Amino acid sequence: MGFTIGGIREMRPGGARRRGRAGWATAVAEYTGLWGWAVTPGARAAAGVCSCGDPGCAAPGAHPLGFAPEVPPGATLGMAADAWAEVPGASVLLPVGRSFDVLDAPETAGRRALVRMERMGVPLGPVAVTPTGRAQFFVAPGAAAGLPGLLYRMGWDDADLDLRALGAGTYITAPPSDLGGLGPVRWLRPPAPGTAAAPPQARLLLGTLAYICHRW
C-alpha cells in the first residue's frame, strides 16, 4: 500500500503509515494549537523530483501544495489529523510574515551568534537549522521590510553580508519535515511559551548577527 502526492508514490506498511500520519498531525497541532501559527501542507521531493509533478519546478519539495487548504492557528489535534489525512506525506510549511519574519544566515555564523546572544541575555525566539546550511532566527513581523533601514542605521549597509530577511509571501519548512529531499529541518532553539507568539524585534539580534556574518 502507498500514497501519492502529485505523482510521487511512497510505500509504507499499513501500521507504519498510520503511525506516521498520527505523528505529523501531532506536530501540526503543536504548531497551530500551542504556538498559534498557521501551517500549510507542502510538496516533497525525492532525487530532485518534486511531488507537485512539474518537471521544471523551481523549488522542489519546498513550496505549498496549491490544492491543499491551510490549517489555521488554533486548530486542534482532530482538525490537524483530518487535514493531513487529505494530504498524507505532505511536508509542514510555516507561512512567514504573519506571526514572525525570519533572519536567515549561514549555519556556522548563526550558531556562533546564538551562543553569544544567549551569553549576553539577548531576547531570542525559535531558531531552526536547515540541511542546506542555514540558520533561521524567528523575529517579529516587519523585519523583511525594515532590514535595509536597520542595516543602514547600524553601519552595515555597505558590508558584504550573507544575511537576509524572509517576510510575507514566503514559507519555511518546519521541523521535522524534510527540505527538498536533502534531510530534515531541526530546531537549534525550539519554540517556547512567550517567544513563539511574540518573537523579539530584529534590531535586538541584528548587530550580533551582522558582526559575526561579516567576520565569517
Side-chain angles (χ1 to χ4, degrees):
M1 306 234 0
F3 57 76
T4 301
I5 303 178
I8 288 183
R9 183 174 177 85
E10 180 171 323
M11 306 300 291
R12 290 182 183 174
R17 183 174 67 250
R18 288 189 293 272
R19 288 193 296 273
R21 289 181 181 179
W24 287 116
T26 300
V28 172
E30 179 178 331
Y31 290 139
T32 58
L34 192 57
W35 309 126
W37 300 335
V39 171
T40 301
R44 296 182 71 178
V49 179
C50 186
S51 64
C52 70
D54 180 1
C57 181
H63 65 83
L65 292 171
F67 61 85
E70 179 179 281
V71 185
T76 63
L77 177 58
M79 295 168 65
D82 289 343
W84 238 250
E86 298 298 321
V87 286
S91 62
V92 177
L93 302 184
L94 302 177
V96 184
R98 302 180 195 176
S99 301
F100 57 85
D101 277 8
V102 168
L103 293 179
D104 181 274
E107 179 182 348
T108 301
R111 286 180 179 273
R112 292 177 180 268
L114 179 60
V115 170
R116 178 170 294 193
M117 287 186 283
E118 287 177 334
R119 289 175 178 171
M120 294 168 59
V122 174
L124 292 164
V127 184
V129 62
T130 76
T132 56
R134 307 297 296 183
Q136 298 180 324
F137 291 75
F138 287 38
V139 293
L147 184 62
L150 281 172
L151 290 174
Y152 176 80
R153 290 192 292 273
M154 291 180 175
W156 291 106
D157 56 309
D158 292 328
D160 184 16
L161 300 176
D162 186 5
L163 176 65
R164 60 180 180 144
L166 308 178
T170 61
Y171 296 81
I172 61 169
T173 302
S177 283
D178 175 277
L179 174 60
L182 301 174
V185 179
R186 297 176 289 109
W187 289 117
L188 285 181
R189 184 183 176 92
T195 60
Q201 295 294 322
R203 59 180 174 77
L204 300 177
L205 285 65
L206 195 56
T208 302
L209 266 175
Y211 173 75
I212 293 182
C213 285
H214 180 65
R215 288 178 58 87
W216 191 256

